[in-house]
């Protein structure tokens, strides 16, 4: 039979024309084994580190360990639904998360899925979960204050926009309360807040969300939750996802943002779990060798951008839980070395009723006065030194030695200063009111007030200044200074109010 080449050619042409070019040419591999949130995969020869992969049942994964004969994939979903022999394909993109205003007021998981039962999140914007931190040329020195509303912090350990300030302490010393009070205090200040809850109880986060919603705080806040029941990969990703959301407001909206990581100890534990299951070599305390990089690449994304780049900022408040005050453990020392200072919370102070239980002696802000308004700097400049001297005198006085009048007066003022620094939870103070309160105690204008009445006097004094001398508060708010004339007026006002208060309380 003679082959007619023209017929074959026409058939081939017809087939080529009808060929569907939309065929999926993805590289496909096969699951060798799966367990504890880790899948070992064969066949994905060209897969890249941190690339997204998809199992045949729709569950997503992240290529984590690139070995000679197999790939270690962390499963970002229900790993119990996966089986040996399942097909897995490359998606050719890195992990992204939806970002934008649509997320405000919502609770989401680290993949961007809603957890609050309020329907899907429809946002046109997305950002990669992992992103390189901006370089030195794109940054600007931290100079704007980020007011926490907590007197002990704003007066002695000031935090600036773009700073990384570690909150560290034992379990149950009020670390989360300090961070949440800071978020509450951003109301009306144009700072967008993201709270990353890592390894926490879902019930606790639900109660927190209800409290923040009642206070009107959820209007500018996003909660990223990887609960204690979530798989280790999601707990590992939660802080990075939270940072990506905060970065949208900084880069795209040119706004200031605040990111709280509660807490990075649990993230490090989740990363250790993943690394050991992937058979990476363990180092100190069984953590992998790159656990420092885990936190450094996260916290370096906190930045105050230069004017040329939009002048936005991302302030990071990482939280680390210590065991029995052991700050020299591996993870605490790592994070202390990365951050720009730490707020250390003492169990002893907490138990003695000094709340927030900030240990001013060993807490530090490496940005210092640059992130403080001039009025606060002028009234609180010597507070840290005064408190240190008071602690020494207090220890000396406990020996039962007779003290001279000036030493006793210094002790009495120290006790009044401690009373002033006590503050109820979820009741942040405006900075101008803090200035009035600290001015009164450091200038000795409260020396005649009995120690047990100091807090009551302070509240009534602020009310008095608010009603009769509101111009001083407005002046501090606008000019951020307290000049000599205003100081004189304030001194007279406090003295006259003290006389009235003492006469009323005697009756």
């Amino acid at each position: 039979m003679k082959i007619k080449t023209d017929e074959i050619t026409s058939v081939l042409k017809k087939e080529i024309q009808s060929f569907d070019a939309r065929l999926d040419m993805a590289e496909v591999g096969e699951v060798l084994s799966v367990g504890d949130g880790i899948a070992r995969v064969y066949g994905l020869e060209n897969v890249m580190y941190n690339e997204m992969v998809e199992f045949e049942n729709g569950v997503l994964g992240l290529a984590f360990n690139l070995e000679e004969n197999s790939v270690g994939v962390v499963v970002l979903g229900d790993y119990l639904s996966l089986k040996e022999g399942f097909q897995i394909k490359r998606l050719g993109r890195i992990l992204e998360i939806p970002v934008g205003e649509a997320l405000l007021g919502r609770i989401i998981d680290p993949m961007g899925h809603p957890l609050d039962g309020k329907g899907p999140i429809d946002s046109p914007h997305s950002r990669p979960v992992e992103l390189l931190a901006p370089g030195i040329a794109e940054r600007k020195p931290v100079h704007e204050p980020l007011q926490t509303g907590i007197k002990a912090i704003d007066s002695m350990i000031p935090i600036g926009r773009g700073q990384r300030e570690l909150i560290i302490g034992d379990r149950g010393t009020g670390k989360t309360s300090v961070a949440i009070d800071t978020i509450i205090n951003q109301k009306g200040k144009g700072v967008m807040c993201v709270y990353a809850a890592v390894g926490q109880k879902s019930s606790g986060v639900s109660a927190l969300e209800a409290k923040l919603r009642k206070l009107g705080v959820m209007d500018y806040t996003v909660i990223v939750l990887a609960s204690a029941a979530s798989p280790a990969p999601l707990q590992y990703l939660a802080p990075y996802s939270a940072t990506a959301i905060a970065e949208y407001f900084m880069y795209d909206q040119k706004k200031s943002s605040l990111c709280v990581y509660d807490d990075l100890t649990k993230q490090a534990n989740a990363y250790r779990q993943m690394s050991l299951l992937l058979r990476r070599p363990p180092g100190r305390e069984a953590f992998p060798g790159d656990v420092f990089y885990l936190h450094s690449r996260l916290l370096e994304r906190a930045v105050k951008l230069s004017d040329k780049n939009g002048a936005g900022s991302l302030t990071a408040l990482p939280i680390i839980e210590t065991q029995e005050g052991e700050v020299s453990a591996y993870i605490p020392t790592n994070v202390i070395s990365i951050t720009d200072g730490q707020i250390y919370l003492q169990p002893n102070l907490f138990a003695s009723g000094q709340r927030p239980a900030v240990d001013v002696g060993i807490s530090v802000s490496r940005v210092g006065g640059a992130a403080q308004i001039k009025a606060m700097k002028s009234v609180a400049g010597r507070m840290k030194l005064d408190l240190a001297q008071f602690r020494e005198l207090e220890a000396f006085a406990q020996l039962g030695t007779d003290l001279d009048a000036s030493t006793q007066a210094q002790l009495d003022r120290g006790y009044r200063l401690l009373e002033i620094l006590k503050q109820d939870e979820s009741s942040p103070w405006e900075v101008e009111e803090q200035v009035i309160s600290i001015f009164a105690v450091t200038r000795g204008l409260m020396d005649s007030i009995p120690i047990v009445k100091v807090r009551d006097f302070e509240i009534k004094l602020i009310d008095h200044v608010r009603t009769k001398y509101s111009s001083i508060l407005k002046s501090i708010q606008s000019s951020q200074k307290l000049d000599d004339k205003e100081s004189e007026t304030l001194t007279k006002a406090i003295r006259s109010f003290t006389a009235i208060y003492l006469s009323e309380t005697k009756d």
Side-chain angles (χ1 to χ4, degrees):
M1 188 180 76
K2 196 178 178 183
I3 298 169
K4 294 180 179 176
T5 53
D6 55 336
E7 282 181 16
I8 294 169
T9 307
S10 67
V11 169
L12 282 171
K13 279 180 181 174
K14 204 179 284 180
E15 286 295 322
I16 288 167
Q17 281 167 0
S18 62
F19 177 73
D20 189 355
R22 290 171 296 172
L23 282 176
D24 187 3
M25 298 294 287
E27 190 178 332
V28 176
E30 191 177 293
V31 175
L32 296 174
S33 62
V34 64
D36 293 316
I38 302 294
R40 199 159 289 283
V41 176
Y42 172 76
L44 300 180
E45 287 182 13
N46 299 311
V47 75
M48 297 177 290
Y49 176 71
N50 253 4
E51 186 182 338
M52 296 284 293
V53 291
E54 186 181 11
F55 296 90
E56 66 177 60
N57 63 347
V59 172
L60 294 175
L62 209 58
F64 220 65
N65 253 32
L66 308 181
E67 294 166 21
E68 198 175 345
N69 299 315
S70 65
V71 176
V73 172
V74 294
V75 184
L76 303 172
D78 181 19
Y79 68 87
L80 296 171
S81 63
L82 304 178
K83 291 185 176 68
E84 188 182 327
F86 265 30
Q87 284 200 334
I88 180 171
K89 66 175 180 182
R90 289 178 61 193
L91 294 181
R93 58 188 172 87
I94 58 169
L95 180 60
E96 289 189 337
I97 185 172
V99 296
E101 284 84 354
L103 274 72
L104 294 172
R106 303 296 300 268
I107 303 179
I108 61 167
D109 74 1
M111 301 290 289
H113 304 133
L115 297 173
D116 50 10
K118 292 180 181 171
I121 292 166
D122 186 23
S123 177
H125 310 287
S126 66
R127 284 187 73 85
V129 165
E130 291 253 22
L131 204 68
L132 276 178
I136 295 168
E138 297 161 60
R139 295 171 183 254
K140 191 179 180 181
V142 174
H143 66 280
E144 290 174 287
L146 181 109
Q147 304 295 349
T148 64
I150 300 166
K151 287 174 278 185
I153 295 171
D154 289 343
S155 60
M156 292 177 283
I157 319 148
I159 299 171
R161 294 186 180 187
Q163 190 175 343
R164 300 154 297 183
E165 185 78 7
L166 172 64
I167 301 168
I168 185 167
D170 280 12
R171 185 181 175 84
T173 49
K175 300 184 298 297
T176 301
S177 298
V178 168
I180 295 302
D181 283 3
T182 305
I183 291 175
I184 293 168
N185 196 51
Q186 303 318 307
K187 193 171 185 179
K189 294 184 174 69
V191 179
M192 314 312 283
C193 303
V194 186
Y195 177 74
V198 185
Q200 293 186 36
K201 289 186 291 185
S202 299
S203 57
V205 176
S206 177
L208 172 66
E209 189 257 357
K211 174 183 166 182
L212 294 181
R213 199 168 291 285
K214 193 178 173 186
L215 292 166
V217 174
M218 286 304 289
D219 298 343
Y220 56 87
T221 305
V222 183
I223 296 176
V224 180
L225 171 63
S227 70
S230 301
L234 290 184
Q235 292 187 38
Y236 151 75
L237 280 175
Y240 296 107
S241 299
T243 309
I245 295 164
E247 280 177 335
Y248 166 80
F249 296 112
M250 173 175 69
Y251 289 114
D252 297 22
Q253 302 271 301
K254 314 282 191 279
K255 290 181 178 176
S256 293
S257 57
L258 169 69
C259 216
V260 174
Y261 309 113
D262 191 7
D263 61 74
L264 292 188
T265 312
K266 292 190 179 77
Q267 189 212 12
N269 291 343
Y271 187 63
R272 172 169 62 184
Q273 179 185 323
M274 285 162 50
S275 298
L276 292 173
L277 288 166
L278 285 163
R279 298 180 183 274
R280 289 184 177 179
R284 180 175 160 189
E285 291 181 30
F287 286 104
D290 64 341
V291 76
F292 182 92
Y293 181 55
L294 170 79
H295 291 146
S296 65
R297 74 176 189 263
L298 169 72
L299 294 167
E300 276 299 311
R301 288 161 75 177
V303 59
K304 170 64 185 168
L305 289 174
S306 63
D307 295 340
K308 187 182 168 186
N309 290 287
S313 68
L314 197 167
T315 311
L317 292 181
I319 295 174
I320 287 285
E321 186 181 295
T322 53
Q323 306 289 331
E324 294 290 320
E326 186 57 73
V327 289
S328 60
Y330 191 27
I331 300 303
T333 50
N334 276 357
V335 183
I336 285 169
S337 67
I338 297 164
T339 49
D340 309 315
Q342 65 275 347
I343 295 164
Y344 188 68
L345 302 173
Q346 274 274 23
N348 297 347
L349 290 174
F350 190 86
S352 68
Q354 186 69 38
R355 295 175 192 177
V358 179
D359 188 328
V360 176
I362 58 174
S363 296
V364 66
S365 170
R366 296 193 184 103
V367 171
Q372 211 170 23
I373 66 166
K374 285 181 178 171
M376 181 62 88
K377 214 186 288 188
S378 66
V379 299
R382 282 186 52 84
M383 264 177 79
K384 211 167 183 184
L385 184 62
D386 288 347
L387 269 176
Q389 289 174 342
F390 162 73
R391 291 287 184 207
E392 282 182 24
L393 282 175
E394 189 184 29
F396 182 67
Q398 282 171 351
L399 299 171
T401 322
D402 288 334
L403 302 169
D404 60 80
S406 64
T407 309
Q408 189 59 53
Q410 201 174 343
L411 267 175
D412 289 344
R413 189 172 295 180
Y415 286 123
R416 285 171 177 81
L417 190 53
L418 286 182
E419 282 298 311
I420 286 291
L421 295 178
K422 286 180 184 175
Q423 204 168 326
D424 294 330
E425 199 179 320
S426 308
S427 57
W429 281 52
E430 290 299 331
V431 69
E432 57 272 20
E433 293 173 359
Q434 293 183 40
V435 168
I436 304 294
S437 174
I438 291 164
F439 177 88
V441 73
T442 53
R443 297 294 191 276
L445 301 171
M446 283 192 192
D447 288 358
S448 57
I449 306 294
I451 291 167
V452 290
K453 299 246 173 124
V454 164
R455 290 186 76 190
D456 178 58
F457 171 81
E458 179 191 29
I459 291 160
K460 286 178 178 170
L461 171 66
I462 297 299
D463 284 340
H464 175 70
V465 173
R466 211 183 279 135
T467 51
K468 299 277 178 70
Y469 299 91
S470 58
S471 59
I472 293 178
L473 289 171
K474 283 174 187 166
S475 171
I476 295 170
Q477 197 175 23
S478 57
S479 70
Q480 301 194 340
K481 293 176 187 171
L482 185 67
D483 59 36
D484 294 342
K485 192 181 174 185
E486 285 168 346
S487 296
E488 209 174 297
T489 310
L490 201 53
T491 304
K492 285 176 186 170
I494 295 169
R495 281 198 174 126
S496 64
F497 178 75
T498 306
I500 296 163
Y501 180 84
L502 288 171
S503 65
E504 282 177 357
T505 50
K506 273 179 188 173
D507 296 339

